[in-house]
Amino acid sequence: MASLIEEDTQVGTGLLKSISKNQPNIIPAEKLAIVSSYVMIHWALDTTGQLEGYGFPFDCLHFIFYQRLKVLYEMVNIAGYDQFDKRFFNLWKPLNKIINDQQLKSSARQIEKKMETFKQLRKALSIRVSENKKGLNDDGDDDTNIKSIAQKVKQFRTQIMADEKLSQANSYKKMIKQIDTYWDKLFADPIIIETSDGQVVIHPQRTNNILERFFRELKRRNRKRSGSISLNRRLKTMLTDTPLIKNLDNKEYIEAILDGNDTLEERFEKIDSNMVIEKLKAEQKSYGKISPEMKKIIQRPDLPEELTALFAA
């Protein structure tokens, strides 16, 4: 499905025109079914558009993914099976199982409630999400004084403790315990230090945001120097390769690798470079990039509604 769509650049352009004009006959019906299946699968996986750049637990990636699966499920039910490519329905059985899993539904409802509580706490602490699009570099609300913040957090704590269900739940008990444990550090008064140049006022940091920002800048500079995009990726690769290196101590493994040669150097010399290049090309094709036209479609905020309207037309 992916190779068929990505090789035919007109399909993406045609679907974009079809959605914009709400005219399904711009592209053939069979291609509309295929490309609709393709973009909706990628739309469900492309949760980054709804994230705000704050990371977990501020950005709930898995919960958003679950919500998108629900939208996709409802969309197929409304549009009908004939509107999608038949290969798409290889995913229908596991999707149906996910959506109708009662335990997962219950967990999602609990997470949604906790997300709302968490947002209230962030607002009380003046580290709520702002609209400046700074992500993790957001300093929060700098205009709020520490006493006002402490009062808001106290009100939040009182609200939780007044709720019979929440006050008895273990997760909320742990949250209240954390607030109580670090209360003095969260709302410490400024520290005044006498120096040779006079008094210096130090404001204790309520979060580790400054240190984290420093660490991210350090990593960014290191990546520029080393050319390595991700330190995490390198560590994962090292862990994966470690058993292979250890296998070099195994005599039988070495004999199988050498295949009659005396050294590893001789064995590597006999490897067909063209075969390696072909294999790499094949891997690149199997994990091909999404075309710019498809990205524009997948990132449309109202894509499910637009496709549903297109099917109805």
Side-chain angles (χ1 to χ4, degrees), residues 161-179:
M161 296 305 293
D163 189 303
E164 278 188 34
K165 289 184 178 179
L166 297 185
S167 61
Q168 296 303 313
N170 287 331
S171 56
Y172 288 88
K173 283 182 181 179
K174 289 178 181 178
M175 179 184 66
I176 295 299
K177 185 180 178 181
Q178 284 290 95
I179 292 174

Side-chain angles (χ1 to χ4, degrees), residues 132-150:
N132 56 22
K133 306 298 181 184
K134 289 184 179 179
L136 288 172
N137 293 324
D138 179 19
D139 290 320
D141 193 344
D142 292 332
D143 297 330
T144 308
N145 63 63
I146 201 70
K147 289 184 179 179
S148 175
I149 293 173

Side-chain angles (χ1 to χ4, degrees), residues 293-312:
E293 291 81 8
M294 286 300 171
K295 282 185 178 179
K296 287 179 184 177
I297 297 171
I298 292 162
Q299 291 171 358
R300 291 175 74 92
D302 300 321
L303 178 62
E305 293 82 359
E306 290 173 327
L307 274 180
T308 300
L310 191 64
F311 294 151

Side-chain angles (χ1 to χ4, degrees), residues 28 34 58-59 109 116 147 168 180 185 197 272 296:
I34 294 172
F58 302 95
D59 287 333
R109 284 194 295 268
E116 187 57 39
K147 289 184 179 179
Q168 296 303 313
D180 293 344
K185 293 180 180 179
D197 297 324
D272 186 352
K296 287 179 184 177

Side-chain angles (χ1 to χ4, degrees), residues 34 70 74 85 95 127 176 222 234 240-241 243 257-258 290:
I34 294 172
K70 287 174 65 178
E74 291 300 325
D85 182 69
L95 182 61
I127 53 173
I176 295 299
N222 182 62
R234 177 184 290 181
T240 304
D241 291 344
I257 291 293
L258 291 177
I290 301 173

Side-chain angles (χ1 to χ4, degrees), residues 13-166:
T13 306
L15 181 62
L16 197 58
K17 288 181 180 178
S18 296
I19 290 173
S20 302
K21 297 180 179 180
N22 197 30
Q23 295 178 1
N25 57 354
I26 292 179
I27 58 176
E30 66 276 7
K31 285 193 175 182
L32 177 61
I34 294 172
V35 74
S36 298
S37 304
Y38 178 81
V39 297
M40 284 310 300
I41 290 170
H42 279 281
W43 174 84
L45 294 169
D46 184 34
T47 57
T48 53
Q50 282 185 251
L51 303 180
E52 295 168 317
Y54 289 84
F56 182 82
F58 302 95
D59 287 333
C60 298
L61 171 66
H62 299 96
F63 180 75
I64 292 172
F65 177 56
Y66 174 71
Q67 287 181 314
R68 290 198 167 204
L69 290 181
K70 287 174 65 178
V71 171
L72 181 56
Y73 179 79
E74 291 300 325
M75 181 181 172
V76 174
N77 281 340
I78 293 170
Y81 294 96
D82 57 331
Q83 302 286 4
F84 289 88
D85 182 69
K86 61 182 180 180
R87 286 166 288 188
F88 171 79
F89 290 98
N90 292 330
L91 297 173
W92 182 248
K93 189 175 180 179
L95 182 61
N96 186 61
K97 187 176 180 181
I98 290 170
I99 299 305
N100 291 295
D101 187 311
Q102 296 303 315
Q103 188 175 355
L104 186 56
K105 281 184 180 180
S106 176
S107 298
R109 284 194 295 268
Q110 290 179 37
I111 290 171
E112 197 164 13
K113 289 178 182 177
K114 289 181 179 180
M115 285 170 61
E116 187 57 39
T117 303
F118 187 53
K119 287 179 182 178
Q120 292 173 10
L121 177 59
R122 291 173 66 189
K123 187 174 181 179
L125 285 167
S126 292
I127 53 173
R128 60 182 182 273
V129 176
S130 59
E131 297 179 356
N132 56 22
K133 306 298 181 184
K134 289 184 179 179
L136 288 172
N137 293 324
D138 179 19
D139 290 320
D141 193 344
D142 292 332
D143 297 330
T144 308
N145 63 63
I146 201 70
K147 289 184 179 179
S148 175
I149 293 173
Q151 184 60 35
K152 289 177 182 177
V153 175
K154 190 177 290 185
Q155 290 172 359
F156 169 82
R157 186 188 184 285
T158 303
Q159 181 183 335
I160 297 296
M161 296 305 293
D163 189 303
E164 278 188 34
K165 289 184 178 179
L166 297 185

Side-chain angles (χ1 to χ4, degrees), residues 147-305:
K147 289 184 179 179
S148 175
I149 293 173
Q151 184 60 35
K152 289 177 182 177
V153 175
K154 190 177 290 185
Q155 290 172 359
F156 169 82
R157 186 188 184 285
T158 303
Q159 181 183 335
I160 297 296
M161 296 305 293
D163 189 303
E164 278 188 34
K165 289 184 178 179
L166 297 185
S167 61
Q168 296 303 313
N170 287 331
S171 56
Y172 288 88
K173 283 182 181 179
K174 289 178 181 178
M175 179 184 66
I176 295 299
K177 185 180 178 181
Q178 284 290 95
I179 292 174
D180 293 344
T181 300
Y182 294 101
W183 186 274
D184 292 338
K185 293 180 180 179
L186 281 170
F187 308 112
D189 292 329
I191 302 169
I192 300 175
I193 298 176
E194 296 289 344
T195 70
S196 56
D197 297 324
Q199 286 187 345
V200 175
V201 180
I202 299 175
H203 296 273
Q205 294 298 311
R206 294 180 297 125
T207 70
N208 58 356
N209 191 28
I210 291 178
L211 284 176
E212 286 183 350
R213 199 179 300 181
F214 171 76
F215 180 65
R216 288 195 298 275
E217 176 63 20
L218 194 64
K219 284 183 69 177
R220 188 184 69 81
R221 290 180 181 179
N222 182 62
R223 286 199 299 269
K224 288 184 71 175
R225 286 196 300 268
S226 65
S228 174
I229 297 174
S230 173
L231 183 61
N232 184 43
R233 187 181 299 173
R234 177 184 290 181
L235 290 173
K236 285 182 178 177
T237 305
M238 287 170 61
L239 291 172
T240 304
D241 291 344
T242 299
L244 296 177
I245 300 299
K246 192 65 179 174
N247 281 339
L248 295 177
D249 295 333
N250 187 314
K251 185 179 178 181
E252 293 180 0
Y253 178 81
I254 284 292
E255 287 177 357
I257 291 293
L258 291 177
D259 193 26
N261 296 279
D262 295 328
T263 63
L264 284 171
E265 287 82 358
E266 289 181 17
R267 182 69 185 93
F268 280 123
E269 285 177 0
K270 294 183 179 180
I271 295 175
D272 186 352
S273 60
N274 291 325
M275 181 185 71
V276 175
I277 291 170
E278 290 301 319
K279 286 285 184 183
L280 289 172
K281 285 181 179 179
E283 286 295 317
Q284 288 175 350
K285 285 183 180 180
S286 62
Y287 298 100
K289 294 181 179 179
I290 301 173
S291 66
E293 291 81 8
M294 286 300 171
K295 282 185 178 179
K296 287 179 184 177
I297 297 171
I298 292 162
Q299 291 171 358
R300 291 175 74 92
D302 300 321
L303 178 62
E305 293 82 359

